[in-house]
Amino acid sequence: MSDLSQDLLEEILSRVPRTSLGAVRSTCKRWNTLSKDRILCKAEETRDQFRFIMKKYKLCSMRFDLNGTLNEDGGTEFVDPSIKELGHFFNQVKISKVFQCDGLLLCVTKEDNIRLVVWNPYLGQIRWIESGNTNYRLFDRYAIGYDNNRKHKILRFLDYYNFNMKHRFLEYEIYDFSSNSWRVLDIAPRWEIESYQRGASLKGNTYFIAKEKIVYEEDGEFPEPPDNLLCFGFTTESFGQFLPLPFQHYLYDAGALSSLGDEKLAALFQCGDTDLSEVEIWVTTMIETNTVSWNPFLKVDMEPHYGRSFMFDYYGGSFFIDEEKKLAVVFQFDEFGMTRYEDAAYIIGENGYVKKVRLGEAPANQGGYCFPSVCCSSYVPSLVQINQIVGFKKEREEE
């Protein structure tokens, strides 16, 4: 290996999957140095190609190539995406949720005893996150980010109203990687974030679609306020003020957020009214924790392609966009007469362009659907160290 030329080594490294780079880096010092230089310098060049997606409760790597060619009808044909289940540890567990920030993935397991694990695909490191005062629960929501000192943290919160008990469960906690501990946050929210709203990471913070807290009347009737944009800052460890969304979004409307690198946020909207089949996507022109401005990116009518009743599911909601090609890819769980289910990606673009790409059969409904969930930002390798705490690692190895 030592007598290989620089050009040949770089060609070899360019063909290595990013999820296998940990093994490459451990080969020798030269390969370690070259792999860092090669991957980090090419991160921008290869963006919008490599992502992670949760499918069939498994974490998978995905390459979705949008470099197509025009056909005779003026449309564009694309290469089908390559989706591969991850091996090793991720073959052994089911994943219900996945969040991405700064090259780290936070995964929530699907099992009776829910667990959290953070993974750095580039370094090949994983870290189990022990729960704090209470065990992880089904309705817990999470976000991963970092503060101004680049210290990484995890937000965990529960804001759930039980109609039978007429009681609201309210808890906010934050986990600090440097101290390996949870702290309770003193937060009295005046907002609500639905359990299916995953949020989007940007500049170390996480943005959610949220609404003013609903005051329930004795007769069960209440006026529903429209949703807003809400930022959680990992430096202040608090939520900011409401920011405007570029559309009027309510409970059963399809709405989702997606980050474009670390500079912009995109928002998808489709009204829940079956008479309205248009899909809108907007992109920020400027965004900070306390201010935002938007520009329209795409508007596509789905009716000519799939009928007036077609709607992206408000509960699934994940997508990414390609600004240069003026395209968006929206991931969806499709049903066929309650007997067959499949995952699909809908590519939408200018001039009413829509193309469906089938992603394979989906699990039948057994107590809940498994929506395909994509990490909206393309993956950029990270050198953030998340070494497992030794004592806890030994406990996991003994299980």
Side-chain angles (χ1 to χ4, degrees), residues 14 18 51 53 88 96 99 112 116 169 172 174 186 195 197 222 229 248 283 303 331 337 389:
S14 70
R18 297 189 188 186
R51 286 177 167 80
I53 185 172
H88 308 298
S96 65
F99 308 88
D112 291 338
L116 298 190
F169 296 88
Y172 286 80
I174 197 159
D186 184 16
S195 59
Q197 290 293 350
F222 57 89
L229 188 66
Q248 291 283 304
V283 173
E303 182 181 356
F331 292 82
I389 302 302

Side-chain angles (χ1 to χ4, degrees), residues 273-296:
D273 189 330
T274 55
D275 290 332
L276 301 173
S277 55
E278 284 187 335
V279 177
E280 300 176 24
I281 295 178
W282 296 69
V283 173
T284 58
T285 55
M286 181 272 294
I287 183 166
E288 297 295 340
T289 56
N290 59 355
T291 185
V292 66
S293 58
W294 302 88
N295 260 353

Side-chain angles (χ1 to χ4, degrees), residues 211-359:
K211 63 165 54 69
E212 283 185 45
K213 187 174 289 294
I214 296 173
V215 178
Y216 294 92
E217 305 294 340
E218 291 184 2
D219 59 3
E221 296 293 329
F222 57 89
E224 182 189 355
D227 288 338
N228 297 273
L229 188 66
L230 184 65
C231 175
F232 179 83
F234 282 88
T235 299
T236 61
E237 297 183 352
S238 63
F239 288 88
Q241 63 191 43
F242 277 148
L243 302 174
L245 287 168
F247 40 71
Q248 291 283 304
H249 181 273
Y250 293 93
L251 180 59
Y252 294 112
D253 297 335
L257 300 174
S258 178
S259 52
L260 285 70
D262 212 27
E263 296 299 325
K264 297 180 182 180
L265 201 65
L268 177 147
F269 171 73
Q270 186 181 19
C271 182
D273 189 330
T274 55
D275 290 332
L276 301 173
S277 55
E278 284 187 335
V279 177
E280 300 176 24
I281 295 178
W282 296 69
V283 173
T284 58
T285 55
M286 181 272 294
I287 183 166
E288 297 295 340
T289 56
N290 59 355
T291 185
V292 66
S293 58
W294 302 88
N295 260 353
F297 178 71
L298 277 177
K299 179 181 285 190
V300 178
D301 190 355
M302 303 298 288
E303 182 181 356
H305 306 276
Y306 301 106
R308 183 179 292 272
S309 62
F310 178 89
M311 182 178 174
F312 289 117
D313 198 288
Y314 73 92
Y315 201 88
S318 67
F319 73 103
F320 68 86
I321 72 171
D322 187 313
E323 278 194 289
E324 183 180 338
K325 298 179 178 64
K326 201 76 173 179
L327 293 168
V329 183
V330 187
F331 292 82
Q332 172 80 349
F333 177 93
D334 284 344
E335 300 179 48
F336 299 90
M338 299 300 293
T339 59
R340 186 166 66 87
Y341 311 88
E342 73 175 14
D343 295 330
Y346 289 83
I347 304 171
I348 61 177
E350 293 181 299
N351 302 317
Y353 178 80
V354 178
K355 176 182 172 64
K356 178 180 177 178
V357 178
R358 289 182 166 84
L359 302 180

